């Protein structure tokens, strides 16, 4: 058995045990007796104090899930942002998972169990792929605290699996051409977009990577003879087309069958405000600068609605540019690192930063060589949010002095924000933890030679001949 296969199997087995703990954690909120709507009567009283809240259990009511309404085909959204009928706030494939989890369920505990059964295989596949790509570092995913806290908090596991699957195809399945790998990965990223949107941003660095090619395909003979490097424009366009075509193919049937219900998920996210539940730098950093009047609140939300998307787009452009600068030095466009940097920009500047989004980031911490001390710091800040915010809500709701809990939450918010800035810079320059991976800095040591301290490339014996 190869060491890569062994690492993948080990990661998968450890992940299976961790998922049991994750489910047991959420199950503490879901137990008989149930009220007439199938809601566990203990849910409201323990969800914050015991830190066992999950969106899965919460959304058993209020989205037509308990009535087994097929999503998006009916319903819509009211002017004040309330979803009606079968409309839900997530992209269509997540809505399908919500509906499938409710099949045969008549209370929130059964809905949680069915959903966990649906989601768990995606965590296991992710663990296996990360193990094959990064070795024992994959245990950060398989045995880390984020999986215990968030595996069954929301519907994140399928979307993380699509992103990791795309990385695996491009970096590991090298028997196929880069264009073929890029197209297949783009399809997965398009599917991910239809689950939770964020993998769609990775299409840009993937497109650039395919356009520029990699040194292994360019060939040492071509470099020795000084031949100009060709660019795969058709491949880049095919990557873009595959991603867009996938998104259209998945969404079109829902948009045609029930446009208002389908559009409601988009409008809901547009109307969502930066408030105490969003754990963002906007609420904790900018909101105190405004007054306490309704007019001040409207002014704050107007600023966020403009500043947030602009800063997100600026961070995307900066990440892509830093990747280009890295390409000029190494000859390899670091598409995985650029993707990670773009995600950091999104998480930092988006008006909503839910705790479970940490699951999105963990694969990059596994795949890219960043200091373990920083990873430990991020996990600590994440725990301050993932645990502290619910204790904070409990203290507020109980009328207790919540100053300690508020300080813990703010430590998590600002600790997480600072480290996202650090990761933004480090990801683009980071080497891959997998010795054979392509498309990340570090490949140059095998094709062009090592990179010296002053960023000049030292030719290897093969290329210097």
């Amino acid at each position: 058995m190869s060491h890569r296969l062994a690492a993948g199997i080990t990661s998968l087995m450890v992940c299976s045990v961790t998922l049991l703990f994750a489910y047991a954690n959420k199950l503490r909120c879901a137990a008989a007796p149930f009220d007439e709507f199938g809601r566990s009567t203990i849910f409201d009283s323990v969800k914050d104090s015991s830190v066992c809240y999950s969106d899965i259990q919460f959304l058993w009511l209020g989205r037509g899930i308990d009535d087994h309404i097929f999503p998006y085909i009916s319903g819509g959204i009211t002017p004040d942002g309330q979803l009606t009928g079968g409309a839900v706030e997530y992209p269509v494939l997540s809505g399908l998972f919500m509906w499938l989890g409710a099949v045969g369920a008549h209370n929130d505990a059964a809905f949680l169990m069915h959903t966990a059964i649906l989601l768990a295989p995606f965590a296991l596949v992710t663990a296996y792929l990360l193990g094959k790509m990064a070795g024992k570092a994959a245990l950060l995913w398989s045995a880390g605290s984020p999986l215990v806290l968030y595996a069954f908090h929301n519907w994140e596991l399928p979307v993380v699996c699509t992103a990791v699957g795309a990385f695996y195809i491009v970096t590991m399945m090298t028997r196929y051409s880069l264009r073929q790998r890029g197209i297949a990965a783009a399809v997965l990223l398009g599917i991910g977009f239809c689950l939770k949107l964020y993998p769609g941003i990775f299409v840009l660095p993937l497109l650039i990577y395919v356009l520029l090619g990699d040194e292994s395909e360019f060939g040492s003979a071509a470099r020795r003879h000084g031949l100009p490097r060709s660019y795969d424009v058709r491949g880049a366009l095919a990557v873009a087309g595959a991603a867009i075509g996938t998104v259209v193919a998945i969404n079109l049937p829902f948009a045609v069958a029930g446009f208002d219900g389908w559009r409601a998920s988009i409008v809901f996210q547009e109307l969502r405000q930066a408030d105490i539940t969003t754990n963002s730098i906007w609420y904790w950093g900018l909101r105190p600068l405004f007054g306490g009047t309704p007019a001040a609140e409207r002014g704050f939300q107007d600023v966020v609605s403009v500043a947030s998307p602009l800063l997100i787009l600026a961070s995307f452009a900066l990440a892509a540019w830093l990747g280009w600068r890295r390409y000029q030095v190494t000859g390899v466009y670091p598409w995985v690192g650029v993707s990670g940097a773009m995600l950091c920009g999104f998480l930092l500047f988006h008006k909503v930063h839910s705790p479970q989004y940490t699951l999105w980031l963990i694969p990059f911490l596994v795949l890219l060589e960043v200091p373990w001390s920083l990873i430990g710091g991020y996990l600590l800040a994440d725990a301050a949010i993932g645990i502290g915010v619910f204790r904070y809500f409990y203290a507020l709701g109980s009328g207790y002095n919540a100053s300690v809990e508020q300080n813990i939450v703010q430590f998590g918010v600002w600790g997480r924000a600072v480290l996202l800035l650090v990761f933004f810079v480090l990801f683009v320059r980071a080497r891959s933890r997998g010795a054979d991976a392509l498309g990340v800095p570090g490949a140059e040591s095998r094709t062009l030679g090592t990179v010296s301290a002053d960023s000049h490339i030292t030719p290897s014996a093969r290329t210097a001949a």
Side-chain angles (χ1 to χ4, degrees), residues 5 31 47 120 127 149 151 168 180 185-186 205-206 223 278 328 343 368 419 439 441 443:
L5 180 59
K47 62 182 175 64
L149 291 172
Y168 182 86
Q180 291 172 321
L206 174 61
R223 288 191 300 274
T278 58
Q328 290 178 316
L343 178 60
L368 300 173
L419 287 169

Side-chain angles (χ1 to χ4, degrees), residues 176-217:
Y176 301 102
S177 71
L178 178 57
R179 181 190 293 185
Q180 291 172 321
R181 286 178 278 143
I183 292 171
V187 171
L188 275 181
L189 295 177
I191 293 172
F193 181 87
C194 298
L195 284 160
K196 281 296 181 76
L197 300 185
Y198 84 90
I201 67 179
F202 305 156
V203 174
L204 175 61
L206 174 61
L207 182 155
I208 297 173
Y209 179 48
V210 172
L211 173 68
L212 299 176
D214 62 57
E215 287 293 333
S216 63
E217 293 200 351

Side-chain angles (χ1 to χ4, degrees), residues 13 152 200 322 361:
M13 294 175 65
F152 306 120
L322 290 174
L361 187 68

Side-chain angles (χ1 to χ4, degrees), residues 220-221 223-224 446-450 457-465:
S220 59
R223 288 191 300 274
R224 284 199 303 270
R446 298 183 301 281
T447 57
L448 295 179
T450 58
I457 297 171
T458 303
S460 65
R462 184 182 64 181
T463 58

Side-chain angles (χ1 to χ4, degrees), residues 346-420:
F346 177 84
L347 294 176
L348 181 62
F349 295 120
H350 191 43
K351 60 186 176 181
V352 178
H353 192 158
S354 296
Q356 71 272 12
Y357 293 175
T358 297
L359 293 176
W360 304 358
L361 187 68
I362 292 296
F364 292 100
L365 301 179
V366 170
L367 294 173
L368 300 173
E369 286 188 352
V370 293
W372 286 103
S373 58
L374 296 180
I375 294 174
Y378 193 87
L379 294 182
L380 180 61
D382 172 70
I385 291 290
I387 297 173
V389 73
F390 294 106
R391 294 295 304 176
Y392 180 49
F393 292 157
Y394 170 70
L396 290 176
S398 301
Y400 300 151
N401 185 330
S403 58
V404 173
E405 290 83 356
Q406 180 175 317
N407 289 335
I408 292 173
V409 171
Q410 293 213 42
F411 167 79
V413 169
W414 296 112
R416 199 171 54 179
V418 169
L419 287 169
L420 285 173

